[in-house]
Amino acid sequence: MGAARNNESSPLQIVLGSLASNSLSGYNDSKSSTLSTTQPHPSAIHILGTSYFASPRLAALQSPVKKLNKDGRIYMEDRKGPFDHFRPRSLLVSTARVTSINTATALSTFFSDQLNYEQKNEELVDSGKITPREADKLNEEWERREWDKRVEALPGKIGWALLRFHACTGIMRFYEFVMGRYILKVDVASRALVGDGGVGGTNSTGPSDSAFETMDKLTRDPFLSSKRTAQILQNEANILGKVTSSTGTETTAQRELMRRMFSTCLWANIIPFLAELTVQQGVLMYGYGVYYLEKKRRMRSREHNQKLAGDLDLEEESKDTETGPVNNEWDENEDSDKVVHESAYALSFFFQSTRLSIAKCLGWISASAGGAVGSGIYPGWGAVFGTQIGDTVVGALIE
């Protein structure tokens, strides 16, 4: 029995690895799988206290058993730092990802437009309006002209996409900071932990368990979570590949993985989609503001020109009457310079903003479903590509 207990790894040993293999052996051996002691091991205090985003949960909880999930992961372990996306590796990965997505989008759009253009020319050939040789010449000219134009515009699109990506990431980190510091107050507990000099302080006040669990759900990495959950279900599955779900029913490991990952992706995508919606709403507001100010400027310019025209002397007016009516440049642009009332302008902005918000909500749900399906196919990268595909499909259907 003693040998069996010594070979059984505790959740803390899973996290600390070889650093804890020697120092934790024999420590509370009868309860090594739960770590349910009031005073944690000194090695745990030293090592876990070095991570700012891993240590907040240790400050407020009296029982160390609740500090680790059953997979040995510390709460909020996946949470990124405010400037982690500017690290060389993260910056290289994000740049490659944004570049590949925009390049693939540009190519697919080009081939789709080319196909539509060639089909229209084929219809003209069938109707006898042009010859097949003329159609081939038109297709070649279009392909050469559009390809050069779109290749020239591609670097600018990639640059704006990178700027948008980092803006969304920065806003996302800001939202996480606000949630952790002022709403859930888990970061306040972390600072109290550092001030008390370790775990097991006498200060019992702090965020509740649900606050740490909520923050952990909001900052969880779907890529890592998909691989962890798949490994757990694989260990729990019987020889038939069946596992017991949370409802007590027996189901396949793949189906249970998809169910859990849908919930995980729903929580983990809240802040990223909210940050992206914030950027899009800001761009929409900026566009409407520029258009409104331009309208105001043109209205003032027109009023000024009309006032100058009204000050012409009677001789010029009579001369114009003799030679006939003069075309007024403002009459030609009457529709384009039509006055837009502020109420109608605000109503138009409201509808566009509401449409954008609904589209992002649908994209959030679709992306979460895509991440769940992708995790069932290939845990890890399947969650990443599934999330991207789900969001893209909704965007294409709405637009």
Side-chain angles (χ1 to χ4, degrees):
M1 294 294 292
R5 286 195 300 267
N6 291 334
N7 293 331
E8 186 176 337
S9 298
S10 66
L12 187 58
Q13 288 173 323
I14 297 175
V15 177
L16 301 181
S18 60
L19 295 176
S21 58
N22 296 326
S23 58
L24 294 180
S25 59
Y27 178 72
N28 192 25
D29 185 65
S30 62
K31 298 181 180 179
S32 60
S33 60
T34 60
L35 299 177
S36 56
T37 59
T38 56
Q39 295 295 330
H41 194 276
S43 298
I45 297 175
H46 174 72
I47 298 177
L48 295 182
T50 60
S51 175
Y52 174 76
F53 292 116
S55 59
R57 182 163 176 79
L58 304 181
L61 302 180
Q62 293 291 332
S63 176
V65 65
K66 298 181 180 180
K67 296 166 189 174
L68 301 175
N69 288 331
K70 66 178 182 179
D71 58 349
R73 186 180 59 84
I74 305 171
Y75 281 105
M76 294 180 290
E77 181 181 334
D78 295 343
R79 184 178 176 185
K80 304 295 190 301
F83 301 106
D84 283 356
H85 56 289
F86 289 118
R87 292 181 177 179
R89 182 177 181 275
S90 299
L91 193 62
L92 180 63
V93 171
S94 62
T95 303
R97 175 175 173 269
V98 171
T99 302
S100 61
I101 290 175
N102 282 269
T103 302
T105 302
L107 289 175
S108 62
T109 303
F110 172 79
F111 290 127
S112 177
D113 294 344
Q114 184 183 27
L115 181 61
N116 293 332
Y117 185 78
E118 290 179 356
Q119 288 178 349
K120 292 180 180 179
N121 289 337
E122 288 295 332
E123 294 176 357
L124 294 177
V125 172
D126 295 338
S127 62
K129 295 182 179 179
I130 60 175
T131 63
R133 186 181 297 274
E134 292 175 342
D136 293 338
K137 184 178 180 180
L138 290 175
N139 293 335
E140 292 177 0
E141 291 177 354
W142 185 93
E143 180 179 358
R144 182 171 57 254
R145 182 179 65 254
E146 291 296 326
W147 177 261
D148 294 340
K149 182 174 65 175
R150 301 189 188 201
V151 169
E152 183 180 357
L154 184 60
K157 291 183 178 181
I158 294 176
W160 281 110
L162 286 172
L163 180 62
R164 176 181 172 181
F165 170 81
H166 288 293
C168 291
T169 305
I171 295 176
M172 183 171 63
R173 298 291 178 255
F174 172 74
Y175 286 158
E176 291 176 356
F177 169 78
V178 172
M179 288 290 297
R181 176 65 64 85
Y182 300 105
I183 299 179
L184 298 177
K185 298 182 179 180
V186 294
D187 290 348
V188 177
S190 175
R191 292 183 178 275
L193 170 64
V194 176
D196 292 340
V199 188
T202 58
N203 184 14
S204 61
T205 61
S208 62
D209 293 357
S210 61
F212 289 99
E213 293 171 1
T214 300
M215 193 65 187
D216 178 65
K217 292 178 181 179
L218 292 173
T219 57
R220 195 171 297 177
D221 187 347
F223 174 82
L224 298 176
S225 182
S226 176
K227 299 182 69 174
R228 287 192 298 254
T229 307
Q231 183 63 42
I232 292 174
L233 293 176
Q234 182 180 356
N235 296 335
E236 294 178 354
N238 54 27
I239 57 176
L240 299 178
K242 301 286 186 177
V243 296
T244 303
S245 65
S246 58
T247 58
T249 60
E250 192 177 58
T251 182
T252 61
Q254 184 183 31
R255 183 174 299 179
E256 179 65 13
L257 173 62
M258 294 171 62
R259 189 193 66 81
R260 293 187 185 182
M261 283 306 301
F262 179 70
S263 176
T264 298
C265 291
L266 275 179
W267 278 96
N269 287 330
I270 290 178
I271 293 181
F273 273 78
L274 181 60
E276 188 173 356
L277 178 61
T278 302
V279 173
Q280 292 181 352
Q281 293 284 6
V283 172
L284 180 65
M285 187 179 301
Y286 173 78
Y288 266 81
V290 171
Y291 179 78
Y292 179 77
L293 294 177
E294 180 64 19
K295 274 286 186 180
K296 286 289 188 181
R297 187 191 66 80
R298 294 172 64 180
M299 289 170 55
R300 288 194 297 266
S301 177
R302 181 175 61 179
E303 292 175 356
H304 178 70
N305 291 338
Q306 289 177 345
K307 183 178 180 180
L308 292 178
D311 294 337
L312 294 176
D313 53 2
L314 297 177
E315 294 181 358
E316 292 180 351
E317 290 182 358
S318 60
K319 183 177 180 180
D320 292 339
T321 304
E322 293 176 358
T323 58
V326 179
N327 292 331
N328 194 335
E329 61 178 348
W330 301 109
D331 294 337
E332 297 176 356
N333 301 322
E334 181 178 358
D335 293 335
S336 62
D337 293 333
K338 185 177 180 181
V339 178
V340 179
H341 297 286
E342 293 184 357
S343 58
Y345 188 82
L347 185 63
S348 175
F349 172 77
F350 172 77
F351 280 126
Q352 291 293 333
S353 178
T354 303
R355 177 180 175 274
L356 185 60
S357 300
I358 295 175
K360 293 310 297 181
C361 289
L362 294 177
W364 165 56
I365 298 175
S366 177
S368 301
V373 174
S375 299
I377 298 174
Y378 188 81
W381 286 110
V384 176
F385 288 107
T387 300
Q388 187 67 38
I389 293 174
D391 186 22
T392 304
V393 167
V394 171
L397 291 176
I398 293 179
E399 294 178 0

